[in-house]
Amino acid sequence: MYSFMGGGLFCAIIGNILIVVSTATDYWMQYRLSGSYAHQGLWRYCMANKCYMQTASIAYWNATRAFMILSGMACFAGIMAGILSFAHFSAFERFSRSFAAGIMLFISTLFVLLAMAIYTGVTLSFLGKRFGDWRFSWSYILGWVAMLMTFFAGIFYMCAHRLYESRRVVGSR
């Protein structure tokens, strides 16, 4: 039970770090523009070694930003619940902190998935046609890895919850 919670906590912390790094960095997409390389993130775009803020309020950027921020917050809440589940399982019979941690981490996974799907869909359908020589970059890839980490963290916490529930039922007989 504690090994599942430890694995879940490890994956959740790594996932949250990856969410923050992915959201904050400027390498979601790289492309060639006017003979020089440029790159962009959710907040800035950089050309010829100069970076500029994304001042245009474009819906898909705003949606991607919002879902990534919500994901980071949900993951942080899952980490807090996961740490509290180590102290002791809840005194309430119907509430388990490991279950709450798992749910929060699955919500975080859903938010990252939505952010990545929105960004991918718009980039492939619109920006991919605009820039001939382009590719997704490492910040974007970190977002997908963060999604996997938060998903596996949620799985670990759900396994810990199931193991605790099965031991509690067997112990009450």
Side-chain angles (χ1 to χ4, degrees), residues 118-169:
I118 290 168
Y119 189 85
T120 303
V122 173
T123 300
L124 290 178
S125 64
F126 175 68
L127 294 177
K129 295 174 183 173
R130 185 173 157 203
F131 302 112
D133 183 18
W134 68 276
R135 66 184 176 101
F136 291 117
S137 194
W138 61 267
S139 297
Y140 172 82
I141 293 166
L142 287 182
W144 283 111
V145 174
M147 187 201 70
L148 290 174
M149 295 302 284
T150 56
F151 177 74
F152 287 125
I155 294 285
F156 282 136
Y157 274 107
M158 287 300 172
C159 288
H161 171 71
R162 293 287 298 185
L163 190 60
Y164 172 72
E165 287 297 313
S166 65
R167 286 183 181 175
R168 191 175 65 112
V169 169

Side-chain angles (χ1 to χ4, degrees), residues 40-45 52-63 65 130:
Q40 72 180 27
L42 298 178
W43 310 99
R44 300 186 316 169
Y45 64 96
Y52 309 94
M53 293 300 293
Q54 303 263 22
T55 56
S57 181
I58 299 174
Y60 89 95
W61 273 332
N62 291 338
R65 291 172 187 158
R130 185 173 157 203

Side-chain angles (χ1 to χ4, degrees), residues 5 37 48 78 105 107 131 138 152 164 170:
M5 291 190 314
Y37 284 102
L105 291 164
I107 290 170
F131 302 112
W138 61 267
F152 287 125
Y164 172 72
V170 169

Side-chain angles (χ1 to χ4, degrees), residues 1-159:
M1 165 174 54
Y2 287 113
S3 60
F4 281 127
M5 291 190 314
L9 186 60
F10 175 76
C11 288
I13 290 170
I14 297 299
N16 204 18
I17 290 169
L18 294 178
I19 289 169
V20 169
V21 169
S22 174
T23 304
T25 53
D26 301 327
Y27 285 88
W28 280 60
M29 180 178 168
Q30 290 180 324
Y31 48 92
R32 194 169 182 86
L33 187 64
S34 301
S36 64
Y37 284 102
H39 56 89
Q40 72 180 27
L42 298 178
W43 310 99
R44 300 186 316 169
Y45 64 96
C46 302
M47 297 184 306
N49 295 328
K50 283 189 160 183
C51 293
Y52 309 94
M53 293 300 293
Q54 303 263 22
T55 56
S57 181
I58 299 174
Y60 89 95
W61 273 332
N62 291 338
T64 304
R65 291 172 187 158
F67 282 128
M68 289 299 282
I69 290 169
L70 287 171
S71 174
M73 292 179 357
C75 189
F76 183 76
I79 289 170
M80 290 297 108
I83 289 171
L84 291 175
S85 69
F86 269 110
H88 196 285
F89 280 87
S90 178
F92 301 110
E93 287 295 318
R94 294 189 176 179
F95 180 77
S96 168
R97 291 180 190 141
S98 61
F99 182 75
I103 292 298
M104 290 308 295
L105 291 164
F106 284 139
I107 290 170
S108 176
T109 301
L110 175 67
F111 285 150
V112 173
L113 178 63
L114 287 171
M116 300 308 290
I118 290 168
Y119 189 85
T120 303
V122 173
T123 300
L124 290 178
S125 64
F126 175 68
L127 294 177
K129 295 174 183 173
R130 185 173 157 203
F131 302 112
D133 183 18
W134 68 276
R135 66 184 176 101
F136 291 117
S137 194
W138 61 267
S139 297
Y140 172 82
I141 293 166
L142 287 182
W144 283 111
V145 174
M147 187 201 70
L148 290 174
M149 295 302 284
T150 56
F151 177 74
F152 287 125
I155 294 285
F156 282 136
Y157 274 107
M158 287 300 172
C159 288

